[in-house]
Amino acid sequence: MVDFLVENGGNIMGAVAVAIAVFLSGMGSAKGTGMTGEAAAGLTVEEPQKFGKALVLQLLPGTQGLYGFVIGFMILGKLGGGLNFQEGLYYIFAALPIGVVGYFSAVAQAKVAVSGMNILAKNEDNFVQGIVYAVMVELYAILGFVISLLLVNNI
């Protein structure tokens, strides 16, 4: 057992890193798109013609899951022979920015997007303002993605 861990510790840590990047950001996006989907469903029952605009707001919290998937896929591509334990541990730390920031920014973005649904429901002419508010939260997901990307590329 000890020999297995010594020989494969880097790959095991790398697999944990993939899971962190994909699971955390994906969970945040799933929660976020679910929250906004509930608001969109309520809106489109009353005003079905607003479906397309509501869908735009619902999709915004889903981007964090995509960022996490890209980082996880990049780490997965680097797993294999010769990866030592320290490198595997470094991948875990490289996955943390997009995993953690991705989760929390997706949930925060969903809350703002739900408020954007309220703008869409009450004053469709100001719909773009709701998108702008939600996109502002995206900046932090992008920053987490860029840091993770730089860390993965420097291993």
Side-chain angles (χ1 to χ4, degrees):
M1 180 69 172
V2 172
D3 290 337
F4 175 79
L5 291 175
V6 169
E7 292 175 18
N8 297 298
N11 286 327
I12 292 169
M13 293 293 106
V16 169
V18 171
I20 288 170
V22 175
F23 287 174
L24 288 177
S25 62
M27 288 185 326
S29 285
K31 185 174 182 176
T33 56
M35 290 168 58
T36 54
E38 289 175 15
L43 171 63
T44 56
V45 164
E46 297 293 323
E47 300 180 75
Q49 72 277 10
K50 294 182 179 178
F51 170 78
K53 291 180 178 179
L55 184 62
V56 170
L57 285 165
Q58 184 193 8
L59 293 174
L60 288 173
T63 57
Q64 287 84 340
L66 294 173
Y67 300 153
F69 178 79
V70 168
I71 295 299
F73 193 74
M74 290 179 67
I75 294 170
L76 186 64
K78 296 184 181 232
L79 300 183
L83 189 66
N84 64 44
F85 183 82
Q86 289 83 9
E87 290 170 328
L89 193 60
Y90 191 89
Y91 281 121
I92 288 176
F93 288 112
L96 284 173
I98 192 53
V100 174
V101 175
Y103 178 85
F104 287 108
S105 67
V107 172
Q109 190 173 41
K111 292 176 182 177
V112 176
V114 167
S115 296
M117 295 284 183
N118 292 331
I119 292 173
L120 178 59
K122 294 177 183 176
N123 189 351
E124 189 172 0
D125 293 338
N126 292 336
F127 162 70
V128 174
Q129 292 172 339
I131 291 176
V132 170
Y133 294 141
V135 169
M136 295 302 295
V137 182
E138 185 83 17
L139 171 65
Y140 298 97
I142 292 170
L143 293 174
F145 173 72
V146 169
I147 293 300
S148 287
L149 183 68
L150 292 171
L151 288 170
V152 168
N153 283 333
N154 283 313
I155 296 176

